[in-house]
Amino acid sequence: MGTKHFFFLLLFTVNSQLIAQDISGEVKDGNGKKLPFVNILIKEKEDSKKIIFFTQTDREGKFIFYKKTIISIENDSIYLEASLNGYNEVIKMIRQRELTKTYNINFILQRLQVQKLQEIIIVGKIPKFKISKDTISFKVKQYVDGSETKIEDVIKNLPGIDVNSTTGEILYKGKSIETVTLDGDNLFGFNYTLGTKNINADMVEQIEAIDNYAENPLLKGIEQGGKVSLNLKLKKNKTNYSGNITAGFGMFDLDKIATDIQGNFLTTSAALKSFATLSQNNIGINHSPFDYFGFNLSIEQQKESNYFAKKNLHETIFTNAVTMSRANINNQFFGNYNAIFKLNPKLSVKTNIYYLQDRININQLFQNNYTINNQNFVTKDNTFITKKPQQYRGDLEIKYNTSKTSLLEYNLRLRQENIKIPTIIIQNETEDFSSILHTKDFYLKQNLLWTKKLSDGKALQVSLFHSFNDLPQTSSITPSVFDENSINDIQESEFKKTFLEGKATYLGSSKRDKYTFTFGANLSQSPFVSRLFNSENTISENKFDYSKSNIFNTGVYNFSYGKWQISPSYSIRLLNQNLEQNIENQEQTQNNFIFEPTLNLKYKLNSVSFLSTNLGYNQNTNTEQYFFLNQVLMNNRTTVSNLPSLNLQNSQRYSLLYFNNDLYNQFQLNADISYQKSTGNYFTNQNITENTTQIEYFFLPQDNSNWNMNIQVSKYIPFIESTLKLISNSSISNFKNIVNNSALRLNENQFLRNSFFWKTAFDIPINFENTITYQYSNSKSKNLSAFINKSWQNTFRIILKPNKKWFLIVSSDYYLPNIEQSEQQFYFLDATLRHKPKNKKWGASFTMRNITNENNFEQVQTSDISTTIFKSNLLPRYFLLNLMWNF
Amino acid sequence: MKILINIALFLTFIFGFGQNQYSEIKYYFKINNGGSPVILDCALLYNENDNKSTFINFGFNSIPEEQKTEIDDINGDLLVNVEKYDDNNGQKPEYQKFFLKDSLVSHESVYGEKKYHVILEKLPTLRWEILNDTLNILNFKTQKAKVNFRGRDYFAWFSTEIKISDGPYKFYGLPGLILKIQSTDSKYTFEVYSVKLNISEKHFSITNLKEKYPNKKIISINDKVNLIKKNTEKERKFRLSNNPNATEIKIEHSGIELNYEDVINGN
């Protein structure tokens, strides 16, 4: 280190100017040159490194300490040090400093001898951290204005996220999410809509979108990546609980009371996290994840559809083009409780309890204009349905860490569902029928899963699965369809399904690749019994036992190389099917060796876009719904029977997807095209008359194929301060059938739907939004004329926000279901006024729906043999006053 | 933090002032908006003869694998999107201080802009307040100081044993090298982990940003402020027009510089 030269000089320079009582001076080098950037330090001790004040010389080599800066120095004596890199340090002392005096202190610094400059190297260690690149977080308050919206409304706005408005399914970067966790805990599983549709936006601080989500922490990094999830980070309240209550009361046009009441309650603590919701409404809202109005399967039901028995007898309802909230004439009561208890660091128990009860009134008119074999005729059915579903369900999940590297999980579900559907049908405006369909559904599922982490990149899983589903149904139709002397016909139908599976999975991963191998076997047994009878005789009976078993091996390999991600996978299995028709004493057995390869490729074009393609080949068994031989009565006019076959269906699919999410330019473009061809299908042989429809399903090794194209483009245009979006879906399907003893017909359905969306973002209190949709469908059979329908739809909304507390939306929907029939038009008007005082815990809103009081809605659909007009009733005009309270 | 002290003494005989003397100080830059931190590798290169320095942010990739380790999952508050540090198309943030010319040239990302910009500004005026606390960092005795810079308060630890009035990022002007500087909310931290002093020119050089990116137009700091304003407004309108329910959107900036009042009001 350098040497120091100490100069002790006592300098008193009295400055006659009384104003400046500072310390100032000048620094020069040995040659008299002025030195800038010299550090002048004030210290209390000569040899101390501690500095009290400092300054630097300017370009003239001058420095100054103002009195007001240094007035706080207590010591009488202070030291001034001048230091500059490459020069010697000089220290001067001011002894017994007087506050009224001005001091002028000059320094001369000598350059250090060069050979004293040594190279010095000191190296410490950078702290060790590995960053998870997989999470992006969004602050909720940036997406909401404090109005009492649910968190699903906020999720819809996040970039890269799409929400299906019917089912509530959430897609992140094009992939369906696994779940929505609360502060990291998976409370809801696949029924995450319970959380997203019910939790208030102001309970949530942030939403995280997580790539490579792994529910099982032992498998993190080892499991095949690509699972995505959302995590809600809740606001840290002073109390451990929060919730909200909404109470809405109003009147329908026909003097019926309208209600919408809901309460949500959330508790969070170290040992217990729970969410409960209770609701009642008769304004068409479905607060549950189960759809009893239409036939949409929830995400959970779609994933488990393999384990369910078939529901053979269905009520005849079609789903509306208008939103459910207009057509669902309901009276729903729903209760749900979800909780995770962390009993100790190794053991956690989760429970979910559901109860639902509803009463749905549907009045529908089906008018079919048939053209078959050059014959034209019309059928008309006017139906009055009251659907009364009831469901009890309880889930239990126990997770136990048997050691640091192993986890044991046990899952149990019990569900009992009863649906009663009394119906009145007026057939062809002449005959009256009444029927009651009673369906019971008992479901039990249990699963035991053991995971063992073998090393950092390897794990083993063993699982045992058992499920049982019993679906007895009874339908009674009055008067009898088959016999004049009989009062009614009764159709009993019962499908059962037992499913057992055991499998072991080996997972491994390294820096660049991941692989998974599974070995296992499963067995499913689906017995079926049906009986159609009346007081006179037994018309038709069925009894079969269908069993299916697989011994399988599947493998998935995922490899990343630069911008490519390559993922081939395969499935090899030995399939055995056995179908015993007990009444006819017929038995069919079939054994197959099946190989199903799939390839997924993804290429990252740049930071905002990628291209991906998927190719696959599958062989599938047919559903047991096609295995009963003798007729089953579905409703007053339809019977179904089959010619069963155990042959497999081979299908190939090819798809290409382009995804571009360029937030810098506020531009999004998704385009995908896919082609699917399946060889070996069940086709229908229909015999249709004015009063009856007989359908027979039979198997042919013939093709059905399908092209599907979707494009979605959206761009924000600064010039007009608006976002414009264009969405286009189109499909072409080729399929075959036989109608009224025809030869095998080749049919084609073409479908096109184009939507144009425009929303403004002006800075004035008023903004607009408009969506216009055109739909085209064309169904034809070869060499015959086509059934064509074109329709228009337009939704226009005005959004008024005069200040932060008041908020008004007026919305109008216009429908023209058939361009050829311009007199059939439907026009809906709704308005909502909201008030939320700032920082208060309550709010109020006033809603008016269907102000124009449209009481029914019509829709047109085409098929290869008919044009069908569906007409159904709607919720009448109502107003509702809603009060909300958050706590 | 363990300190491995590796002192190599080389006697360099230098004749005349022909050769440039450099100092290379390596910092790690920790961004901690809650939860798990992001660690980036940076270096400050100081040229004594020309009185200029450059501070480069190498990003995440340059940290060797052995020096990284696992941490537990996130349970904290906010997490920064790390992707922007990994995929900058090779762009590295760099800040050059020219003390004689009283100017600072930056090469960095600007909110809402796809490519980095080269920005020219006057060396910001930093009003340091010296505090009493001391601390040992890498065996250097340091003293604490406080400053407010563009909306944040920082604590800095500087050592007069290294007489370089410079520091990481845009910080400078203390009577010794800033070995550590941290915002008072602990969200941004620069801390030294390697010091190399009096290295001869053979190993280092500083290329002016103007010459490094000849095709980029140099913008002023006022231009940067206006770009941020313009892009923020565009983003706000974009989100507003995509948002079916809420009718008010706020965009909050959470970078290291929160406001530019010193520039708007004049230094």
Side-chain angles (χ1 to χ4, degrees):
Chain A
M1 315 293 170
T3 49
K4 284 186 193 171
H5 299 270
F6 293 93
F7 291 93
F8 291 93
L9 275 176
L10 303 170
L11 277 171
F12 296 94
T13 310
V14 181
N15 197 315
S16 57
Q17 288 172 323
L18 290 167
I19 308 156
Q21 288 141 3
D22 324 297
I23 302 175
S24 63
E26 204 176 46
V27 181
K28 290 183 182 159
D29 70 1
N31 299 325
K33 183 176 140 203
K34 295 168 193 169
L35 290 174
F37 307 124
V38 177
N39 290 312
I40 310 291
L41 318 173
I42 294 182
K43 298 183 184 175
E44 279 176 343
K45 289 196 188 123
E46 183 187 337
D47 51 358
S48 158
K49 287 209 190 299
K50 221 169 169 198
I51 303 166
I52 311 170
F53 293 105
F54 85 103
T55 187
Q56 272 194 344
T57 55
D58 58 19
R59 284 164 196 282
E60 299 299 310
K62 294 199 165 97
F63 71 90
I64 187 164
F65 286 102
Y66 291 103
K67 175 202 145 193
K68 63 176 186 210
T69 316
I70 57 175
I71 197 159
S72 57
I73 303 175
E74 287 167 359
N75 277 23
D76 289 341
S77 306
I78 55 172
Y79 296 86
L80 256 68
E81 179 179 318
S83 90
L84 180 65
N85 201 18
Y87 290 79
N88 63 306
E89 281 153 20
V90 175
I91 301 183
K92 297 195 175 183
M93 183 177 158
I94 299 178
R95 193 173 290 168
Q96 282 160 354
R97 183 171 61 97
E98 288 172 52
L99 292 170
T100 51
K101 278 197 173 151
T102 298
Y103 297 90
N104 194 350
I105 301 175
N106 299 322
F107 294 87
I108 294 175
L109 301 182
Q110 301 292 344
R111 196 151 176 92
L112 286 173
Q113 287 173 314
V114 237
Q115 60 254 42
K116 302 290 179 183
L117 289 171
Q118 295 161 332
E119 200 171 275
I120 299 165
I121 298 171
I122 298 173
V123 181
K125 240 194 180 160
I126 199 167
K128 295 177 176 183
F129 285 97
K130 183 171 178 183
I131 312 309
S132 162
K133 293 190 263 179
D134 301 324
T135 305
I136 300 179
S137 74
F138 306 94
K139 275 202 221 176
V140 170
K141 65 177 178 172
Q142 290 190 353
Y143 293 88
V144 82
D145 64 355
S147 70
E148 46 300 293
T149 44
K150 299 294 178 187
I151 198 68
E152 184 187 67
D153 297 318
V154 178
I155 291 171
K156 279 182 194 161
N157 296 326
L158 303 178
I161 294 188
D162 285 298
V163 180
N164 180 319
S165 44
T166 332
T167 59
E169 183 185 6
I170 299 175
L171 294 155
Y172 175 50
K173 288 194 200 167
K175 259 183 274 196
S176 186
I177 65 170
E178 296 294 301
T179 186
V180 175
T181 49
L182 284 187
D183 278 339
D185 284 317
N186 185 357
L187 201 55
F188 304 113
F190 289 117
N191 283 332
Y192 52 78
T193 53
L194 285 166
T196 56
K197 285 185 191 285
N198 295 316
I199 294 180
N200 265 17
D202 43 21
M203 283 187 195
V204 182
E205 180 81 47
Q206 275 180 70
I207 302 174
E208 288 178 330
I210 298 171
D211 258 320
N212 295 318
Y213 168 71
E215 160 130 29
N216 188 339
L218 292 176
L219 295 181
K220 180 140 179 106
I222 307 176
E223 207 174 36
Q224 291 291 340
K227 286 196 198 163
V228 293
S229 74
L230 294 184
N231 181 35
L232 304 180
K233 304 205 90 158
L234 304 168
K235 283 192 184 156
K236 307 277 180 270
N237 287 332
K238 290 181 203 139
T239 53
N240 284 340
Y241 62 87
S242 60
N244 66 286
I245 295 178
T246 316
F249 294 98
M251 291 279 276
F252 283 104
D253 214 38
L254 306 162
D255 296 327
K256 190 174 125 190
I257 295 177
T259 53
D260 181 20
I261 304 167
Q262 192 186 39
N264 296 315
F265 192 67
L266 179 69
T267 62
T268 49
S269 72
L272 167 67
K273 193 167 274 152
S274 77
F275 178 73
T277 179
L278 210 59
S279 67
Q280 188 278 332
N281 83 93
N282 65 358
I283 53 171
I285 301 176
N286 181 11
H287 287 289
S288 80
F290 316 111
D291 181 14
Y292 288 105
F293 172 68
F295 296 104
N296 291 308
L297 292 178
S298 70
I299 307 113
E300 184 194 61
Q301 285 165 330
Q302 282 171 41
K303 289 196 190 273
E304 298 191 353
S305 55
N306 260 343
Y307 312 133
F308 297 149
K310 297 296 165 203
K311 196 178 275 188
N312 207 10
L313 309 176
H314 284 283
E315 58 279 18
T316 328
I317 301 178
F318 78 89
T319 37
N320 257 298
V322 292
T323 54
M324 181 200 273
S325 56
R326 289 201 200 282
N328 182 13
I329 304 172
N330 71 345
N331 189 348
Q332 186 192 76
F333 175 75
F334 176 65
N336 166 246
Y337 174 71
N338 310 282
I340 290 187
F341 303 88
K342 296 202 176 135
L343 298 173
N344 63 52
K346 286 189 184 176
L347 178 63
S348 81
V349 176
K350 178 168 87 170
T351 176
N352 308 75
I353 301 170
Y354 305 77
Y355 176 69
L356 183 144
Q357 186 179 297
D358 204 348
R359 189 193 166 95
I360 304 172
N361 289 312
I362 307 168
N363 176 5
Q364 292 186 332
L365 176 67
F366 300 78
Q367 183 176 312
N368 291 305
N369 299 328
Y370 287 104
T371 300
I372 303 172
N373 298 338
N374 295 319
Q375 274 195 305
N376 297 331
F377 58 96
V378 176
T379 66
K380 246 188 190 172
D381 280 329
N382 200 350
T383 62
F384 299 83
I385 302 172
T386 309
K387 187 168 176 181
K388 295 188 249 188
Q390 191 185 45
Q391 187 183 146
Y392 305 83
R393 174 175 146 178
D395 295 6
L396 179 70
E397 181 187 86
I398 303 173
K399 282 192 184 178
Y400 181 59
N401 278 82
T402 46
S403 78
K404 259 197 186 158
T405 54
S406 67
L407 176 68
L408 193 61
E409 295 168 67
Y410 175 68
N411 268 297
L412 172 68
R413 181 187 313 168
L414 280 163
R415 183 196 72 205
Q416 175 70 48
E417 183 187 82
N418 301 324
I419 310 179
K420 276 204 188 111
I421 309 179
T423 310
I424 295 175
I425 308 156
I426 302 174
Q427 184 174 302
N428 292 338
E429 293 171 323
T430 50
E431 289 181 71
D432 280 4
F433 288 94
S434 75
S435 80
I436 299 184
L437 172 60
H438 195 163
T439 306
K440 287 192 198 166
D441 186 338
F442 171 73
Y443 181 65
L444 160 73
K445 176 189 102 156
Q446 20 175 15
N447 187 16
L448 187 65
L449 177 66
W450 179 69
T451 309
K452 172 85 185 157
K453 186 168 179 175
L454 302 168
S455 72
D456 255 348
K458 295 191 182 15
L460 179 67
Q461 279 194 309
V462 178
S463 115
L464 293 167
F465 179 91
H466 164 243
S467 76
F468 173 68
N469 190 196
D470 184 12
L471 243 173
Q473 295 185 283
T474 310
S475 166
S476 133
I477 297 182
T478 310
S480 163
V481 171
F482 293 94
D483 222 308
E484 289 174 336
N485 298 324
S486 186
I487 302 171
N488 58 12
D489 292 322
I490 298 179
Q491 173 73 63
E492 289 171 348
S493 164
E494 181 173 358
F495 263 111
K496 282 191 205 176
K497 191 164 194 172
T498 308
F499 188 85
L500 287 163
E501 183 178 82
K503 65 183 184 195
T505 305
Y506 177 73
L507 306 101
S509 84
S510 67
K511 209 170 161 185
R512 278 252 168 87
D513 57 8
K514 288 194 165 108
Y515 50 88
T516 308
F517 288 106
T518 307
F519 289 89
N522 61 39
L523 168 69
S524 81
Q525 289 186 312
S526 310
F528 175 70
V529 173
S530 85
R531 188 167 161 245
L532 173 60
F533 62 96
N534 55 34
S535 58
E536 297 295 307
N537 48 26
T538 300
I539 302 155
S540 155
E541 270 183 284
N542 283 299
K543 188 168 194 285
F544 72 70
D545 280 298
Y546 172 64
S547 74
K548 182 167 91 169
S549 68
N550 279 297
I551 300 173
F552 60 86
N553 163 236
T554 64
V556 183
Y557 180 70
N558 197 304
F559 175 67
S560 302
Y561 181 70
K563 295 191 175 182
W564 287 92
Q565 238 187 342
I566 302 157
S567 182
S569 62
Y570 74 89
S571 158
I572 298 176
R573 51 197 174 110
L574 274 168
L575 168 69
N576 168 276
Q577 295 180 82
N578 187 292
L579 178 60
E580 263 185 56
Q581 299 283 0
N582 297 321
I583 299 176
E584 293 80 2
N585 274 321
Q586 289 173 6
E587 190 175 334
Q588 287 171 281
T589 306
Q590 183 157 309
N591 291 308
N592 292 89
F593 174 77
I594 297 174
F595 174 64
E596 294 163 305
T598 313
L599 179 64
N600 266 321
L601 289 169
K602 186 170 167 179
Y603 180 66
K604 194 170 176 185
L605 294 159
N606 52 43
S607 60
V608 299
S609 67
F610 68 84
L611 207 57
S612 83
T613 178
N614 181 294
L615 315 149
Y617 174 75
N618 282 94
Q619 281 186 286
N620 293 313
T621 54
N622 291 297
T623 161
E624 48 268 24
Q625 250 172 318
Y626 294 133
F627 292 163
F628 57 85
L629 279 168
N630 307 309
Q631 62 178 330
V632 168
L633 182 69
M634 293 294 169
N635 57 37
N636 57 305
R637 55 167 76 242
T638 312
T639 61
V640 173
S641 66
N642 305 294
L643 289 174
S645 161
L646 294 180
N647 285 327
L648 302 177
Q649 180 196 64
N650 300 339
S651 56
Q652 326 162 19
R653 63 172 193 285
Y654 311 93
S655 71
L656 185 64
L657 162 73
Y658 172 71
F659 187 90
N660 183 327
N661 195 9
D662 185 356
L663 294 175
Y664 281 115
N665 294 316
Q666 286 92 22
F667 173 73
Q668 282 164 292
L669 168 64
N670 303 344
D672 70 87
I673 183 168
S674 63
Y675 173 70
Q676 182 162 329
K677 179 164 132 175
S678 59
T679 306
N681 292 286
Y682 270 92
F683 297 93
T684 57
N685 180 354
Q686 297 181 72
N687 262 301
I688 307 175
T689 70
E690 279 94 343
N691 294 314
T692 61
T693 300
Q694 289 174 310
I695 305 177
E696 184 182 62
Y697 290 98
F698 63 97
F699 185 87
L700 278 185
Q702 295 273 347
D703 299 340
N704 282 342
S705 68
N706 179 285
W707 278 100
N708 215 295
M709 280 146 286
N710 298 302
I711 295 182
Q712 187 170 314
V713 189
S714 111
K715 174 96 180 80
Y716 172 72
I717 314 243
F719 177 64
I720 47 174
E721 292 185 313
S722 307
T723 287
L724 304 177
K725 243 187 253 196
L726 180 65
I727 303 173
S728 176
N729 311 100
S730 61
S731 69
I732 301 174
S733 316
N734 285 298
F735 64 100
K736 303 181 175 80
N737 62 12
I738 296 175
V739 183
N740 287 8
N741 298 314
S742 68
L744 191 66
R745 297 148 47 103
L746 306 169
N747 307 305
E748 186 180 88
N749 270 349
Q750 292 174 4
F751 176 79
L752 174 68
R753 188 189 159 98
N754 286 332
S755 240
F756 181 70
F757 166 91
W758 181 333
K759 183 166 195 255
T760 66
F762 303 139
D763 279 321
I764 52 178
I766 188 167
N767 270 294
F768 308 96
E769 181 187 311
N770 193 74
T771 313
I772 183 164
T773 306
Y774 170 71
Q775 205 165 287
Y776 168 82
S777 73
N778 176 323
S779 307
K780 61 176 292 201
S781 191
K782 198 167 175 187
N783 300 327
L784 295 173
S785 52
F787 296 89
I788 298 176
N789 191 58
K790 301 177 199 169
S791 69
W792 282 100
Q793 188 180 320
N794 191 68
T795 303
F796 178 67
R797 296 196 332 157
I798 302 175
I799 303 151
L800 271 153
K801 198 163 164 64
N803 57 44
K804 285 194 182 188
K805 297 185 191 175
W806 291 93
F807 178 74
L808 173 69
I809 293 188
V810 179
S811 153
S812 78
D813 288 312
Y814 168 76
Y815 294 88
L816 179 63
N818 184 352
I819 289 181
E820 306 294 319
Q821 291 194 302
S822 50
E823 67 278 6
Q824 288 284 8
Q825 297 172 56
F826 299 91
Y827 187 66
F828 297 94
L829 193 62
D830 310 306
T832 304
L833 176 68
R834 263 196 222 128
H835 174 61
K836 179 143 173 117
K838 200 174 183 187
N839 294 330
K840 290 259 169 59
K841 290 187 176 232
W842 65 275
S845 73
F846 182 73
T847 306
M848 297 218 296
R849 288 215 91 197
N850 197 1
I851 296 172
T852 50
N853 208 14
E854 295 277 10
N855 45 29
N856 61 55
F857 182 74
E858 198 176 280
Q859 202 171 304
V860 179
Q861 210 163 290
T862 61
S863 77
D864 57 294
I865 48 174
S866 66
T867 300
T868 308
I869 303 171
F870 300 99
K871 211 169 172 180
S872 74
N873 64 339
L874 302 170
L875 276 169
R877 164 171 53 201
Y878 71 87
F879 70 84
L880 197 81
L881 176 64
N882 237 312
L883 292 165
M884 289 141 269
W885 179 50
N886 295 328
F887 55 90
Chain B
M1 190 171 70
K2 267 192 184 175
I3 301 171
L4 280 173
I5 297 184
N6 194 346
I7 302 179
L9 291 171
F10 296 96
L11 280 172
T12 34
F13 290 93
I14 304 157
F15 300 99
F17 294 97
Q19 275 199 310
N20 272 321
Q21 293 289 319
Y22 284 85
S23 300
E24 182 205 63
I25 300 107
K26 298 211 84 178
Y27 297 88
Y28 70 83
F29 178 25
K30 183 160 121 184
I31 302 173
N32 191 359
N33 276 323
S36 33
V38 178
I39 302 270
L40 304 159
D41 190 24
C42 310
L44 174 70
L45 210 57
Y46 180 80
N47 180 336
E48 195 192 301
N49 301 68
D50 293 339
N51 253 302
K52 67 180 184 185
S53 72
T54 188
F55 180 76
I56 309 175
N57 181 340
F58 293 108
F60 178 69
N61 284 330
S62 71
I63 302 173
E65 279 303 315
E66 316 80 73
Q67 288 196 305
K68 295 186 207 167
T69 191
E70 300 279 341
I71 46 160
D72 279 324
D73 254 321
I74 315 108
N75 261 323
D77 295 349
L78 284 169
L79 237 194
V80 173
N81 179 0
V82 187
E83 282 174 9
K84 71 175 179 176
Y85 292 100
D86 276 345
D87 195 11
N88 286 333
N89 300 320
Q91 302 180 102
K92 292 186 183 52
E94 188 169 350
Y95 305 89
Q96 294 184 339
K97 302 185 198 89
F98 299 92
F99 296 103
L100 292 173
K101 296 185 196 158
D102 198 26
S103 72
L104 190 145
V105 184
S106 322
H107 176 242
E108 62 177 0
S109 72
V110 175
Y111 180 77
E113 300 282 298
K114 223 169 180 172
K115 287 219 156 94
Y116 277 24
H117 281 283
V118 176
I119 304 153
L120 172 66
E121 60 179 303
K122 272 182 69 177
L123 266 176
T125 305
L126 297 170
R127 298 191 167 90
W128 294 99
E129 183 194 331
I130 305 271
L131 303 170
N132 277 330
D133 307 11
T134 60
L135 187 67
N136 258 9
I137 297 176
L138 224 53
N139 259 3
F140 290 104
K141 288 205 180 77
T142 68
Q143 189 167 351
K144 196 172 177 181
K146 189 174 177 187
V147 75
N148 178 287
F149 178 60
R150 298 205 175 141
R152 282 191 201 277
D153 285 323
Y154 296 88
F155 286 128
W157 286 261
F158 66 97
S159 171
T160 50
E161 289 173 38
I162 307 171
K163 292 197 191 105
I164 297 173
S165 285
D166 201 357
Y169 188 56
K170 296 185 182 178
F171 299 106
Y172 72 101
L174 280 168
L177 180 71
I178 299 172
L179 294 180
K180 176 174 175 178
I181 180 162
Q182 185 179 59
S183 61
T184 50
D185 54 17
S186 301
K187 286 187 181 174
Y188 297 93
T189 309
F190 293 92
E191 188 164 345
V192 71
Y193 72 92
S194 153
V195 171
K196 290 183 188 166
L197 303 172
N198 304 327
I199 317 286
S200 67
E201 187 176 9
K202 267 192 290 204
H203 305 287
F204 299 110
S205 71
I206 299 178
T207 313
N208 285 358
L209 285 168
K210 217 197 242 172
E211 288 149 33
K212 223 178 197 179
Y213 303 102
N215 296 328
K216 287 202 184 191
K217 190 180 129 193
I218 300 179
I219 63 173
S220 73
I221 184 105
N222 281 312
D223 292 337
K224 174 182 168 184
V225 173
N226 290 333
L227 269 175
I228 293 175
K229 257 196 207 147
K230 184 186 101 185
N231 290 335
T232 304
E233 185 57 17
K234 204 158 113 180
E235 180 67 19
R236 186 182 75 85
K237 288 282 176 101
F238 167 62
R239 288 202 206 159
L240 197 64
S241 66
N242 263 300
N243 192 330
N245 283 311
T247 52
E248 193 178 295
I249 300 280
K250 286 169 273 187
I251 309 265
E252 276 179 21
H253 290 293
S254 57
I256 190 169
E257 292 175 6
L258 292 175
N259 64 50
Y260 292 88
E261 281 162 10
D262 62 321
V263 168
I264 300 165
N265 299 334
N267 271 23

